[in-house]
């Protein structure tokens, strides 16, 4: 579970993203999977706003995020996508991947702690967010 000093950071999700994510989570493919349960828990605690009210610098679906591992200084750029769009080689990370779920709804400057596959600890701080235009949704 992503945390920051023991408490999860506050997150903001657009009503458009919420509707699509809820529909995805209700599908038989994803229902009751551990990743879906974790994402559902994150969505349940999110502040939901209209798409045109999402603050600049917020990680939304299809946003490209630059984040820094504060423990190593490594910088990563990834795009948050739906599972069927994921492609690690292209930096397209599924919202159902632990890092995808952790980043959804964060804003520039917020950090999350999580454990990567293999047990490596990371502390990712959001440095930059490029969001898709509303026209493309």
């Amino acid at each position: 579970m992503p945390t920051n000093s023991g408490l999860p950071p506050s997150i903001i999700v657009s009503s458009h993203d919420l509707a699509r994510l809820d529909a995805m989570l209700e599908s038989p493919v994803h229902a009751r999977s551990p990743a879906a349960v974790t994402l559902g828990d994150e969505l349940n605690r999110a502040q939901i706003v209209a798409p045109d009210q999402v603050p600049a610098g917020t990680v939304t679906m299809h946003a490209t995020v630059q984040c820094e591992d504060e423990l190593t200084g490594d910088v990563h750029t990834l795009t948050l996508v739906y599972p069927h769009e994921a492609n690690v080689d292209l930096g397209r990370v599924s919202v159902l991947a632990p890092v995808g779920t952790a980043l959804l709804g964060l804003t520039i400057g917020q950090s999350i702690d999580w454990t990567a596959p293999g047990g490596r600890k990371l502390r990712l701080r959001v440095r930059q967010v490029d969001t898709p235009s509303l026209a493309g949704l």
Side-chain angles (χ1 to χ4, degrees):
M1 178 79 156
T3 60
N4 187 9
S5 302
L7 297 173
S10 60
I11 62 172
I12 299 168
V13 175
S14 78
S15 56
H16 179 269
D17 284 351
L18 178 66
R20 290 191 68 191
L21 290 167
D22 275 346
M24 178 191 73
L25 293 177
E26 291 172 6
S27 74
V29 172
H30 300 295
R32 293 192 281 271
S33 75
V37 170
T38 299
L39 178 58
D41 289 346
E42 288 295 286
L43 293 173
N44 285 337
R45 71 179 192 82
Q47 176 187 353
I48 308 303
V49 299
D52 63 348
Q53 298 297 307
V54 175
T58 300
V59 180
T60 61
M61 293 304 299
H62 296 116
T64 299
V65 181
Q66 183 184 84
C67 49
E68 178 182 359
D69 183 344
E70 294 181 327
L71 302 177
T72 65
D74 293 342
V75 176
H76 307 277
T77 300
L78 55 92
T79 301
L80 187 62
V81 299
Y82 294 94
H84 69 279
E85 301 169 318
N87 183 324
V88 174
D89 293 335
L90 298 176
R92 297 168 64 92
V93 176
S94 170
V95 68
L96 289 178
V99 70
T101 297
L103 288 171
L104 179 67
L106 293 182
T107 56
I108 292 172
Q110 286 184 308
S111 297
I112 50 114
D113 293 331
W114 68 286
T115 304
R120 187 168 61 100
K121 301 287 185 192
L122 298 167
R123 176 172 294 136
L124 296 179
R125 182 176 50 83
V126 177
R127 291 176 45 167
Q128 181 178 332
V129 179
D130 296 318
T131 56
S133 70
L134 291 176
L137 299 178

